[in-house]
Amino acid sequence: MHKIAEVEIQHDIMAANKKLAKRNQRIFDKADVFTVDVLGAIGSGKTSLIENLIEKMDYKIGVIAGDVISRFDAGRFEKYNVPVVGLNTGKECHLDAHLVKHALGDLPLDDIEILFIENVGNLICPVDFDLGAHLRMVVISVSEGDDTVEKHPLIFKDADIVVINKVDIAKAVGADENKMFNDVKELNPDAVVIKSSLKTGEGLREIMDNIQKFME
Amino acid sequence: MHELSMADAIVKTAVDVAEKNDAQKITEITIEIGGLALLNPEQLKFMIEVLSENTLLEGAEVNVEEIPIEIKCESCNYEGPTGSEELDHYMPIVKCPECENVSIKIIKGRECNVKNIKIEKEDEDA
Ligand SMILES: Nc1nc2c(ncn2[C@@H]2O[C@H](COP(=O)(O)OP(=O)(O)O)[C@@H](O)[C@H]2O)c(=O)[nH]1
Ligand SMILES: [Mg+2]
Ligand SMILES: [Zn+2]
């Protein structure tokens, strides 16, 4: 004889990641490391922005390079003589707290004041995976089209700083950077939104000042 | 796009609970997915079926229930559904349906839960 039983589970699949993210944040706090999760589409300028920040910010910086082409970006950061760990995500479309935890073992946390984590270039998958960072910075660019914000609202809803990059080529690609700015502000009135060009340096000072404000 | 790793976690959770309950097989599993979770229900279902092979979950009926989106307005304190029937994910999270203010927080709709399973086990009285 067989009997059928119903078993209540009510298990949140995301809970494990959230717990690990909290644990990561405790590690960052203990070592006094301010951590920034850098998200955005492929080619929006995440690596270029972090390179600029390494050069211009007066802090000891470390980087976790988690883009799909991780070895490639890690190589770019190594040229700046800062501690870098390249995370190979394999086919995974996002970093998760567990992967980040692994990378932490290879970083001299006591010697780092700001840790940038370059997430996988993707506006969808990383959204639901907290890494334990203190700040979420989303970098998009005008070349992805000025409807990017409308198409991927959730990533902006959760962001602390949103950088709208490559405004130097906005006209050439027929995108309206002010529309993008307003779309983000409507979705997330609390977000700091900054238009930038890493070619001309526009907006870079404002990005640095705002990261610093969040550190206080 | 991360349906595969989510499906893997779902299968493991279900099989684990089934084993602890001395199940011989799982006949049904119910998953809850928030209307804003960045997961495709059909893809998720397919991946669960594939990963279930040779486990207690093999052949089980997979039900996916949607958890509706709910928001809280920071301006008028409205709490509840967004009232929008829009198919895209944009409008529901932009404006409060009561006062149209844009300062709203999402309080429901991003979940991915294993709700319950139905299992078959040996009847002890038999
Ligand atoms: N015109 C222009 N090009 C930029 C700007 N920022 C980055 N780029 C270029 O965009 C390409 C992709 O940048 P990268 O930092 O690798 O993007 P990632 O994939 O987000 O890390 C590179 O060729 C950069 O030189 C910018 O503000 N203006
Ligand atoms: Mg990069
Ligand atoms: Zn309201």
Side-chain angles (χ1 to χ4, degrees):
Chain A
M1 270 293 286
H2 282 144
K3 88 176 176 194
I4 304 278
E6 189 170 306
V7 186
E8 279 302 304
I9 301 183
Q10 296 295 354
H11 175 77
D12 175 4
I13 292 296
M14 309 300 292
N17 186 72
K18 284 177 202 148
K19 204 165 148 191
L20 285 174
K22 282 216 178 89
R23 208 175 288 169
N24 286 349
Q25 188 156 92
R26 280 200 295 274
I27 295 172
F28 297 138
D29 288 340
K30 207 169 151 222
D32 221 354
V33 176
F34 185 79
T35 305
V36 185
D37 184 4
V38 184
L39 307 98
I42 297 175
S44 65
K46 298 179 296 300
T47 305
S48 309
L49 176 59
I50 298 169
E51 286 174 317
N52 271 277
L53 297 175
I54 291 171
E55 279 198 314
K56 306 219 165 66
M57 283 187 98
D58 206 6
Y59 287 95
K60 287 186 262 177
I61 289 175
V63 184
I64 295 177
D67 210 342
V68 253
I69 37 168
S70 72
R71 280 315 315 155
F72 195 80
D73 281 356
R76 275 170 68 178
F77 294 125
E78 273 158 12
K79 296 201 183 83
Y80 295 86
N81 266 320
V82 293
V84 179
V85 178
L87 269 187
N88 220 324
T89 54
K91 290 186 185 64
E92 234 7 287
C93 42
H94 59 269
L95 289 180
D96 62 28
H98 179 79
L99 276 168
V100 168
K101 171 82 200 324
H102 273 284
L104 294 186
D106 296 327
L107 283 170
L109 289 182
D110 289 335
D111 241 355
I112 295 173
E113 289 166 319
I114 304 179
L115 176 65
F116 289 105
I117 304 176
E118 180 173 343
N119 215 312
V120 178
N122 184 326
L123 289 173
I124 302 170
C125 301
V127 175
D128 282 328
F129 293 86
D130 192 358
L131 306 180
H134 300 97
L135 182 75
R136 256 194 178 194
M137 180 160 71
V138 176
V139 182
I140 52 172
S141 80
V142 296
S143 56
E144 288 128 53
D146 57 17
D147 53 1
T148 301
V149 181
E150 289 168 88
K151 280 185 184 157
H152 306 280
L154 269 183
I155 194 165
F156 301 99
K157 194 90 186 156
D158 285 346
D160 300 300
I161 297 180
V162 177
V163 175
I164 298 166
N165 191 32
K166 305 195 191 180
V167 292
D168 57 293
I169 57 166
K171 278 222 173 61
V173 299
D176 179 353
E177 70 271 27
N178 294 316
K179 175 193 186 301
M180 299 172 85
F181 182 98
N182 293 333
D183 284 351
V184 178
K185 270 292 177 194
E186 187 178 42
L187 259 176
N188 184 351
D190 298 332
V192 176
V193 190
I194 302 164
K195 290 177 271 186
S196 75
S197 163
L198 299 172
K199 279 275 173 322
T200 67
E202 178 185 343
L204 196 54
R205 179 82 259 157
E206 204 183 337
I207 296 170
M208 294 192 281
D209 289 348
N210 276 287
I211 292 174
Q212 206 160 340
K213 247 185 232 158
F214 275 99
M215 292 173 71
E216 282 158 12
Chain B
M1 283 175 255
H2 47 274
E3 280 78 5
L4 187 60
S5 52
M6 299 302 275
D8 185 51
I10 290 167
V11 171
K12 283 193 177 117
T13 302
V15 169
D16 188 47
V17 172
E19 278 170 357
K20 284 192 181 121
N21 285 277
D22 301 318
Q24 288 175 325
K25 77 188 256 71
I26 304 170
T27 57
E28 211 176 310
I29 177 169
T30 305
I31 322 284
E32 293 176 315
I33 300 181
L36 287 172
L38 299 163
L39 293 167
N40 178 315
E42 282 313 312
Q43 243 178 43
L44 187 67
K45 221 166 135 167
F46 174 70
M47 302 279 179
I48 291 172
E49 281 160 11
V50 170
L51 293 174
S52 297
E53 270 172 41
N54 301 316
T55 75
L56 290 176
L57 191 63
E58 181 162 3
E61 190 180 327
V62 181
N63 308 311
V64 179
E65 292 176 359
E66 184 174 309
I67 301 180
I69 304 161
E70 281 185 25
I71 58 110
K72 180 175 166 60
C73 174
E74 311 217 301
S75 170
C76 73
N77 279 324
Y78 168 84
E79 247 189 80
T82 54
S84 169
E85 296 298 314
E86 299 259 347
L87 282 174
D88 66 79
H89 282 174
Y90 185 62
M91 278 320 286
I93 61 171
V94 174
K95 278 192 178 83
C96 169
E98 291 286 316
C99 73
E100 303 225 313
N101 194 289
V102 292
S103 289
I104 59 171
K105 291 269 174 298
I106 300 160
I107 53 175
K108 248 197 202 150
R110 304 186 67 171
E111 302 79 354
C112 178
N113 300 326
V114 182
K115 190 177 176 192
N116 59 41
I117 52 173
K118 279 202 182 115
I119 55 171
E120 235 176 62
K121 56 199 273 181
E122 206 70 48
D123 194 338
E124 286 114 42
D125 306 329

